[in-house]
């Protein structure tokens, strides 16, 4: 997408958010529909798990509870999830710093890094929540300068950028403070201590005709309507790809990806299948060669 232009999309997200993981097929559709248009998409990392959160008194019980929570969300999203969650992410900072740092290496690399980081939770069940495990998880991402990422994610400018994301997420617009229905995740702003933050995920569309906020778990049509309402000259139309083309583009796809984005829901030819609860993830062979789910 080109920078600037009549439409800006701001995505509030977190690598470990199960609703964001489940929404990724719709966001892939939207990004593809906007590709080549005068539009800008910006990710804001909201820090779902903060460094100053109190540790769980029983980490194993917390992990079992959160695994059930992810499974309940997957009933709505259709997204696969790990058969077992080994622990709940201790902090969103390391993965968010890496995802933010990767943006300096291009949109494609950044998307692949973020996908790998999501998959540590929702495919592996071992969230990347330390610098060392983050860097291990993204080893082999095509086009990634791994040495540069290892420097950048601990740099002051990247930490400042994510700190700004943290603050922006905790300044929700008035219209999301009182959202009610429809369920299961209407996107009402969450109370965090004495503040509120945008629910994750939330998309904010801004254009010549104003602003539209689409929070929580929503149908694709609501995002399309919001974009076309604030940018009246924009008409979003999706193009379905073959399963092979979709895998070539994204390198990692799920059943919901195929159902929404491909001409056929069948497995991509030549893909490497990684089974999880709720369905498999299919990896491009070159992605599988370095993916942490298939190492050793």
């Amino acid at each position: 997408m080109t920078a600037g232009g009549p439409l800006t999309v701001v995505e509030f997200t977190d690598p470990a958010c199960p609703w964001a993981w489940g929404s990724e097929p719709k966001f892939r559709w939207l990004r593809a529909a906007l590709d080549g248009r005068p539009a800008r998409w910006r990710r804001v990392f909201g820090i779902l798990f903060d460094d100053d959160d109190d540790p769980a008194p029983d980490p194993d019980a917390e992990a079992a509870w959160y695994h059930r929570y992810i499974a309940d969300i997957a009933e709505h999203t259709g997204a696969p999830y790990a058969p077992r969650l080994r622990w709940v992410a201790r902090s969103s900072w390391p993965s968010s710093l890496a995802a933010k740092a990767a943006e300096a290496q291009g949109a494609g690399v950044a998307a692949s890094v973020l996908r790998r980081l999501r998959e540590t939770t929702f495919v592996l069940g071992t969230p990347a929540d330390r610098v060392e495990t983050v860097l291990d998880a993204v080893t082999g991402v095509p086009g990634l300068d791994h040495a540069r990422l290892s420097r950048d994610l601990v740099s002051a400018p990247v930490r400042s950028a994510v700190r700004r994301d943290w603050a922006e997420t905790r300044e929700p617009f008035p219209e999301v403070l009182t959202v009610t229905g429809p369920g299961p995740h209407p996107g009402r702003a969450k109370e965090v201590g004495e503040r509120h933050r945008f629910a994750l995920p939330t998309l904010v569309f801004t254009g010549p005709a104003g602003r539209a906020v689409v929070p929580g778990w929503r149908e694709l049509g609501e995002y399309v309507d919001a974009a076309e309402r604030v940018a009246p000259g924009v008409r979003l139309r999706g193009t379905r790809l073959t399963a092979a083309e979709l895998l070539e583009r994204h390198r990692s796809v799920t059943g919901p990806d195929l159902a929404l984005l491909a001409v056929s829901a069948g497995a991509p030819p030549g893909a490497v299948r990684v089974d999880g609860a709720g369905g498999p993830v299919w990896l491009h062979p070159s992605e599988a060669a370095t993916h942490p789910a298939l190492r050793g």
Side-chain angles (χ1 to χ4, degrees):
M1 282 169 269
T2 58
L7 179 64
T8 297
V9 185
V10 177
E11 174 191 356
F12 291 89
T13 192
D14 185 280
C17 173
W19 288 110
W21 166 246
S23 297
E24 188 60 17
K26 289 176 283 190
F27 295 171
R28 283 178 163 180
W29 188 100
L30 287 165
R31 287 192 292 269
L34 287 168
D35 190 33
R37 295 176 179 271
R40 177 173 180 252
W41 188 296
R42 178 170 65 92
R43 288 192 181 95
V44 174
F45 294 98
I47 308 298
L48 183 61
F49 300 103
D50 214 341
D51 283 346
D52 59 2
D53 290 344
D54 293 331
D58 186 339
D60 290 339
E62 181 193 41
W65 175 88
Y66 200 71
H67 186 259
R68 291 192 296 271
Y69 175 69
I70 291 172
D72 288 344
I73 290 172
E75 289 291 319
H76 299 286
T77 67
Y81 57 98
R84 178 188 173 194
L85 183 67
R86 303 283 178 151
W87 61 82
V88 177
R90 291 170 280 252
S91 172
S92 291
W93 277 93
S95 58
S96 297
L97 289 165
K100 180 66 72 175
E103 292 176 355
Q105 300 191 37
V109 169
S112 295
V113 165
L114 179 55
R115 181 73 173 199
R116 280 274 187 102
L117 295 172
R118 292 197 196 283
E119 288 172 345
T120 64
T121 295
F122 302 110
V123 176
L124 301 174
T126 53
D129 55 6
R130 294 182 291 112
V131 169
E132 295 81 4
T133 56
V134 163
L135 290 173
D136 179 70
V138 302
T139 297
V141 167
L144 175 68
D145 184 334
H146 196 272
R148 178 184 177 184
L149 185 76
S150 67
R151 295 191 301 270
D152 288 352
L153 78 87
V154 295
S155 69
V158 169
R159 177 163 285 275
S160 293
V162 177
R163 172 58 63 180
R164 290 193 296 271
D165 284 0
W166 181 97
E168 185 177 355
T169 307
R170 284 153 184 80
E171 295 177 350
F173 302 136
E175 56 262 46
V176 298
L177 296 175
T178 56
V179 172
T180 57
H185 178 37
R188 185 171 183 167
K190 305 293 184 181
E191 291 188 25
V192 284
E194 297 181 354
R195 311 178 69 152
H196 286 81
R197 66 160 172 81
F198 281 103
L200 306 178
T202 289
L203 295 191
V204 179
F205 299 86
T206 305
R211 180 179 76 197
V213 185
V214 188
W217 173 251
R218 300 290 173 141
E219 296 299 324
L220 176 61
E222 294 186 59
Y223 298 113
V224 174
D225 290 346
E228 295 181 350
R229 186 166 67 251
V230 303
V234 170
R235 292 292 179 268
L236 299 185
R237 300 293 181 267
T239 301
R240 288 181 180 265
L241 305 176
T242 67
E245 290 170 333
L246 190 68
L247 187 67
E248 188 68 32
R249 173 176 291 185
H250 294 295
R251 306 181 63 80
S252 170
V253 297
T254 65
D257 284 316
L258 292 164
L260 182 62
L261 305 171
V263 294
S264 170
V272 178
R273 177 176 175 138
V274 178
D275 285 309
V281 176
W282 286 279
L283 302 177
H284 191 284
S286 61
E287 176 72 9
T290 62
H291 199 282
L294 297 167
R295 291 184 199 152

